Amino acid sequence: DAGVIQSPRHEVTEMGQEVTLRCKPISGHDYLFWYRQTMMRGLELLIYFNNNVPIDDSGMPEDRFSAKMPNASFSTLKIQPSEPRDSAVYFCASSLELYTEAFFGQGTRLTVV
Amino acid sequence: EDQVTQSPEALRLQEGESSSLNCSYTVSGLRGLFWYRQDPGKGPEFLFTLYSAGEEKEKERLKATLTKKESFLHITAPKPEDSATYLCAVPVIQGAQKLVFGQGTRLTINP
């Protein structure tokens, strides 16, 4: 397996634009996580899915953020409209079970200008 | 409130100089403690899981230990390639169950 695949690796967008981040988890993993990493706040869990169903989205900062998992091999994180304070590295991770090792993607570095 | 705190924030060592990184936690009912390594520009990479006090895990120059209040990541005779940020994480219940990460320790090994 190629691991968790995220796209794009880098995204630069203007404030107010819609941004969509994509993730392909490891096949067979039942859990998918979206994290955001910044210098100030570290690695924060935004939302996670179990068998494509959102379980906890309490980490999603605002209604501007939304995430979907239409099937077991694909998930998206959308920000609409984007703001400069959304600039961060966004990671997707997947795992077999909730409390087992999670495998992270390479991340998407988002810059909102 | 469940918390995970790592210290120091940054550590600079000479090659071969052993040291330890600390991860202290306050959670009710520990369900495991995870150590990850993160290189610049990459996602965290899993190192160890510890489930009970007294447990130890080793991998090359790294050894992780766990007590009821904290975990240590011991680095013996480190090499420059051990330079990275080391993160610990603990499952907590905040509404739903989730994994909470510490802020990490940025380790630099000078040749």
Side-chain angles (χ1 to χ4, degrees):
Chain A
D1 201 315
V4 176
I5 300 173
Q6 292 186 246
S7 64
R9 288 296 311 278
H10 303 274
E11 177 80 39
V12 180
T13 191
E14 291 185 347
M15 182 173 63
Q17 295 299 306
E18 177 180 296
V19 176
T20 299
L21 311 182
R22 297 172 175 79
C23 175
K24 175 177 167 43
I26 293 174
S27 177
H29 281 191
D30 290 337
Y31 287 85
L32 183 140
F33 308 86
W34 282 101
Y35 285 90
R36 178 172 68 176
Q37 188 173 42
T38 61
M39 288 294 293
M40 289 297 296
R41 301 177 66 90
L43 200 59
E44 301 175 282
L45 179 65
L46 299 177
I47 185 172
Y48 76 90
F49 296 82
N50 177 216
N51 292 323
N52 313 338
V53 176
I55 302 300
D56 181 15
D57 65 355
S58 60
M60 298 284 262
E62 300 171 33
D63 290 345
R64 298 184 295 105
F65 286 68
S66 63
K68 294 182 179 179
M69 192 166 185
N71 58 62
S73 59
F74 184 66
S75 177
T76 60
L77 178 68
K78 186 176 294 186
I79 308 172
Q80 166 63 19
S82 58
E83 296 183 2
R85 58 195 169 117
D86 301 331
S87 297
V89 181
Y90 291 81
F91 287 104
C92 175
S94 70
S95 66
L96 283 170
E97 298 175 12
L98 184 58
Y99 296 141
T100 57
E101 63 178 288
F103 293 82
F104 283 76
Q106 294 279 55
T108 294
R109 180 174 295 278
L110 174 65
T111 304
V112 183
V113 298
Chain B
E1 181 181 335
D2 295 331
Q3 281 194 327
V4 183
T5 305
Q6 291 189 247
S7 61
E9 288 187 14
L11 181 62
R12 190 178 293 271
L13 302 171
Q14 289 297 122
E15 184 173 0
E17 181 184 0
S18 302
S19 187
S20 297
L21 314 182
N22 177 266
C23 172
S24 62
Y25 58 90
T26 53
V27 298
S28 52
L30 184 67
R31 296 165 188 78
L33 185 143
F34 300 80
W35 281 100
Y36 284 81
R37 168 190 170 130
Q38 186 175 23
D39 292 301
K42 295 189 176 182
E45 178 184 348
F46 172 78
L47 290 173
F48 306 109
T49 307
L50 302 166
Y51 287 104
S52 57
E55 188 175 358
E56 298 183 352
K57 294 273 181 75
E58 286 189 63
K59 180 180 181 180
E60 295 182 354
R61 294 175 293 281
L62 300 176
K63 183 169 78 172
T65 62
L66 182 66
T67 71
K68 289 186 178 180
K69 294 183 178 180
E70 58 193 349
S71 176
F72 291 94
L73 185 64
H74 306 279
I75 302 177
T76 302
K79 298 181 178 181
E81 53 262 42
D82 295 321
S83 297
T85 296
Y86 291 85
L87 299 161
C88 71
V90 176
V92 302
I93 296 180
Q94 293 177 349
Q97 300 175 77
K98 61 181 68 175
L99 199 61
V100 173
F101 281 82
Q103 290 281 69
T105 293
R106 189 171 63 256
L107 177 66
T108 304
I109 308 298
N110 295 317

